[in-house]
Amino acid sequence: MNIPPKAFLDLLVKSNALASDVADKIEIEVLNKNVPIDEYLLKKTNIKKDLIMKIKAYFLKVPYVDISSSAINPQALTFLPDSVTRKYEIIPYDYDPKNDVLYIATANPLDMTLADFLEKKTNKKIVFALAYPPDIKKAISINYVQGLSPEVKEAMEEAYSAEKARAEAATTSIREAPIAKIVHTILEFAVKSRASDIHIEPEEIKTRVRYRIDGVLHEKLSLPISIHESLVSRIKILSEMRIDEKRIPQDGRFNFKLGNEEVDLRVSSLPTVHGEKIVMRLLKKTGGLPSLNELGLRGPQLKDLEESISKPYGIVLVTGPTGSGKTTTLYSILSRLNTPKVNIVTLEDPVEYQIEGINQVQINPQAGLTFATGLRSFLRQDPNIILVGEIRDKETTQLAIQAALTGHLVFSTLHTNDSATSIPRLIDLGGEPFLIASVLNASVAQRIVRRVCQFCAEKYEPSPEIKEQIKKVLGPLLPKTYQNDKEIMLSRGKGCNECNNTGYYGRIGIFEVLKITPTINKMILQEATAKEIENQARKEGLIIMKEDGYLKALEGITTLEEVIRVAEI
């Protein structure tokens, strides 16, 4: 079916992906060259592939699937052999057992001859969805040759044959060997893909498995709901949780070793409408902690933080939302200060990494061990350095200030959006301004951005609007080498096997380090607002998070999109 170029281009103009004058030029060129409009747009423009394919699917009146980011159901793969998928460049990506429907991604969704052939071969109802041809080829090679799905597919086949063989027995809910293999494969993929969390989520007709890689969730696997309970039971057995208790949330933990890598998994179960959801947090036991430099601190920020942590007493706060890397930063600071000459004690919820030579305590509110009671006991343990996981109430605030006043170096975290807001927040929590002014050394705010994948990074020249935005945000911080517009170049990842076609590999922090100077001390005493404190700090050289992010984007470490995603506050 030939799609009229004008109608196609009109939709792109409506969605603000194309200017109308550019659309007119493209229309003339497409008609002159007599090429399909979608092919021309994919080859000759920077318009997102997804948008072009969605509009094409709209005209063809078929569904569209982004096969590069969709989880492939291993059960669907069992219905067609590798040879057929390669010959016709198709891939089965989902299966609905209720209606016996097999969903197949193809570049030719109107090929009814192929649909008839596949219906006879699989004995299933076939539903075609439009997909981008290079994505289909990649998906075939990944899912039939390497990666997550083939091993799960194999184990699934074992599970089904075991189910059929023992159909009469009612006690075979846990098909031990195949389920154990599926769990092992899920964990193995997590370690290999550098995931920080695994989500196993039951839905009405399937169980989806998602991995948090570099801070973003990716759906990688879809399993039949029929094996969900067995999967959950297996994980509960490994984590020493009660398998007969399905009504209340539970917590557990276990270790997993793959080659030389060992991870500690913290497991949490949660009852949902369709069954229990499992989330596993992976904590690496091997590889050591990154240095402050490796975290992304450098230049004046690193210098200010080093000066603050080298003082014999005082409070250093690390602020940011959940998942912004506060704990990792604090652990890096502690490992730097950890020598036989000092006594370091920590009070955490929970203890995430175990560091040799540091006395780490996990809070236990049920037994009466809270941040406040633990901190009171710590002062009798002759510490030099104290880490309190979080300051969250009046008592902890006052005890932390007292500890700093009596000659201890105290580290803690707060949930605030930027470094300056931590000061009014401490006052809200019951800290006296004159005491805060005398003990606070520094407040560090941070976020985590994804790094551009170094395996597929490419330089590109941003639009004049983006260049103006960079100049406006950075102002006098813009390095002299970038004063000329032509010198402003940014980096992005094209997407490769190393980065799982995301264009990002690994993460780095963006920071703002607010050093407490004599002027800011006076402002704390006067109970100045966070904005007034920040404005004064900027006059004294404070680099805010967004500026730090833009500088890292100019260096090709990350992208502006990432910085805006996490630091646009």
Side-chain angles (χ1 to χ4, degrees):
M1 174 186 172
N2 284 330
I3 302 165
K6 180 157 178 45
F8 202 109
L9 292 163
D10 283 348
L11 281 177
L12 285 171
V13 172
K14 270 185 192 171
S15 58
N16 295 321
L18 210 59
S20 53
D21 56 332
V22 177
D24 293 340
K25 286 177 190 171
I26 290 173
E27 187 187 352
I28 293 162
E29 205 166 326
V30 165
L31 292 168
N32 285 339
K33 290 185 176 177
N34 195 24
V35 290
I37 180 66
D38 55 298
E39 277 182 33
Y40 178 90
L41 292 167
L42 286 165
K43 282 179 187 171
K44 303 282 186 181
T45 69
N46 289 325
I47 299 166
K48 285 186 177 175
K49 166 201 81 179
D50 267 16
L51 183 58
I52 296 169
M53 297 306 288
K54 275 176 189 169
I55 293 173
K56 183 178 179 180
Y58 166 77
F59 280 108
L60 297 179
K61 295 184 172 58
V62 295
Y64 162 69
V65 60
D66 181 4
I67 210 74
S68 65
S69 63
S70 296
I72 304 280
N73 185 336
Q75 193 180 359
L77 295 172
T78 60
F79 298 118
L80 283 175
D82 185 9
S83 55
V84 171
T85 61
R86 285 182 191 282
K87 183 179 177 182
Y88 296 104
E89 287 189 10
I90 56 172
I91 185 158
Y93 65 93
D94 205 2
Y95 174 60
D96 175 3
K98 247 185 201 174
N99 302 306
D100 206 23
V101 177
L102 184 63
Y103 294 90
I104 293 176
T106 172
N108 302 306
L110 303 181
D111 188 342
M112 290 303 109
T113 313
L114 178 59
D116 290 343
F117 163 70
L118 293 172
E119 281 193 356
K120 282 174 190 161
K121 184 160 185 68
T122 60
N123 206 21
K124 312 278 171 214
K125 188 186 171 192
I126 300 294
V127 172
F128 278 152
L130 177 71
Y132 184 50
D135 287 349
I136 296 171
K137 284 182 184 174
K138 201 171 279 182
I140 293 168
S141 64
I142 289 171
N143 287 284
Y144 281 92
V145 181
Q146 60 182 91
L148 187 59
S149 292
E151 291 170 49
V152 175
K153 179 183 132 186
E154 202 179 292
M156 291 266 303
E157 284 169 351
E158 276 184 54
Y160 286 130
S161 56
E163 196 168 22
K164 282 174 191 169
R166 304 171 201 161
E168 303 302 314
T171 55
T172 57
S173 62
I174 302 173
R175 295 168 291 283
E176 194 57 51
I179 295 296
K181 199 183 280 185
I182 290 171
V183 171
H184 184 277
T185 308
I186 287 169
L187 295 174
E188 188 180 341
F189 184 83
V191 174
K192 285 178 178 173
S193 61
R194 305 169 292 105
S196 60
D197 301 83
I198 307 167
H199 292 239
I200 298 171
E201 302 164 311
E203 293 180 349
E204 194 176 353
I205 58 166
K206 64 174 184 177
T207 292
R208 66 174 180 169
V209 182
R210 295 194 291 169
Y211 293 86
R212 191 175 292 281
I213 302 166
D214 293 333
V216 178
L217 280 169
H218 299 270
E219 192 174 339
K220 291 289 175 188
L221 190 61
S222 175
L223 298 166
I225 195 69
S226 59
I227 68 159
H228 181 76
E229 277 197 30
S230 307
L231 205 61
V232 169
S233 297
R234 174 68 188 159
I235 293 163
K236 281 184 167 182
I237 289 165
L238 289 170
S239 339
E240 297 180 359
M241 287 153 69
R242 287 181 56 187
I243 61 169
D244 59 331
E245 182 55 83
K246 299 174 184 179
R247 298 162 303 166
I248 58 169
Q250 293 186 68
D251 293 309
R253 66 193 306 162
F254 68 96
N255 282 358
F256 178 72
K257 199 167 183 182
L258 184 70
N260 296 325
E261 284 196 79
E262 191 177 356
V263 289
D264 188 18
L265 289 111
R266 286 212 319 268
V267 184
S268 167
S269 75
L270 181 75
T272 70
V273 176
H274 299 296
E276 286 181 282
K277 174 180 173 176
I278 296 282
V279 174
M280 294 184 271
R281 163 67 59 91
L282 284 82
L283 302 165
K284 276 196 175 184
K285 295 182 91 172
T286 49
L289 286 162
S291 67
L292 294 175
N293 209 32
E294 286 166 345
L295 287 176
L297 280 154
R298 67 261 175 93
Q301 291 181 313
L302 182 59
K303 182 174 166 283
D304 287 348
L305 183 60
E306 282 176 335
E307 279 176 19
S308 302
I309 67 174
S310 62
K311 290 181 179 177
Y313 66 90
I315 296 177
V316 175
L317 293 173
V318 180
T319 78
T322 305
S324 58
K326 301 186 295 292
T327 308
T328 306
T329 299
L330 285 172
Y331 279 157
S332 296
I333 292 169
L334 288 187
S335 61
R336 183 173 183 142
L337 299 174
N338 185 16
T339 67
K341 294 177 183 177
V342 291
N343 176 22
I344 303 176
V345 284
T346 77
L347 193 58
E348 302 169 61
D349 178 25
V351 173
E352 290 197 13
Y353 297 95
Q354 291 170 19
I355 310 170
E356 203 175 324
I358 292 178
N359 307 288
Q360 293 170 277
V361 179
Q362 184 159 319
I363 71 161
N364 186 349
Q366 285 86 4
L369 177 56
T370 63
F371 283 126
T373 57
L375 188 47
R376 197 176 283 112
S377 306
F378 275 10
L379 297 174
R380 296 192 285 274
Q381 287 282 318
D382 183 33
N384 300 97
I385 297 165
I386 299 170
L387 165 66
V388 186
E390 188 186 336
I391 290 176
R392 54 170 80 147
D393 56 41
K394 186 176 182 178
E395 196 179 359
T396 313
T397 307
Q398 292 174 343
L399 282 165
I401 291 170
Q402 286 304 317
L405 283 169
T406 52
H408 303 90
L409 185 58
V410 180
F411 294 98
S412 192
T413 68
L414 267 182
H415 286 286
T416 62
N417 283 334
D418 54 47
S419 55
T421 314
S422 62
I423 295 162
R425 179 81 182 117
L426 275 183
I427 296 169
D428 283 348
L429 287 167
E432 293 287 352
F434 70 94
L435 292 177
I436 294 168
S438 60
V439 297
L440 191 61
N441 293 351
S443 174
V444 181
Q446 68 177 82
R447 299 288 187 279
I448 305 177
V449 292
R450 292 181 289 172
R451 282 176 174 269
V452 171
C453 173
Q454 295 308 301
F455 299 97
C456 61
E458 62 173 4
K459 289 267 184 192
Y460 73 98
E461 190 176 348
S463 67
E465 294 82 20
I466 299 290
K467 287 181 182 179
E468 277 310 305
Q469 188 190 348
I470 292 167
K471 286 180 177 178
K472 188 181 170 186
V473 168
L474 291 176
L477 287 172
L478 185 72
K480 284 179 183 172
T481 47
Y482 298 113
Q483 298 295 338
N484 180 348
D485 264 18
K486 285 184 181 175
E487 297 299 322
I488 296 179
M489 297 290 281
L490 298 174
S491 289
R492 62 186 169 203
K494 286 185 281 189
C496 63
N497 288 336
E498 292 291 335
C499 64
N500 209 16
N501 294 307
T502 59
Y504 296 101
Y505 189 98
R507 294 192 287 172
I508 194 166
I510 57 171
F511 298 87
E512 62 183 52
V513 179
L514 175 66
K515 193 181 171 191
I516 308 302
T517 61
T519 322
I520 289 169
N521 244 320
K522 283 179 193 168
M523 295 180 81
I524 296 171
L525 288 168
Q526 292 157 4
E527 293 191 43
T529 65
K531 197 69 201 162
E532 288 166 346
I533 292 170
E534 186 188 293
N535 290 340
Q536 177 57 35
R538 291 186 77 170
K539 286 176 192 170
E540 295 178 14
L542 171 73
I543 298 170
I544 64 167
M545 271 184 293
K546 193 173 178 182
E547 292 168 345
D548 187 37
Y550 271 54
L551 287 168
K552 285 182 170 114
L554 276 179
E555 289 175 43
I557 297 169
T558 186
T559 62
L560 290 184
E561 291 84 356
E562 272 297 287
V563 177
I564 290 162
R565 180 176 71 88
V566 302
E568 196 66 84
I569 53 173

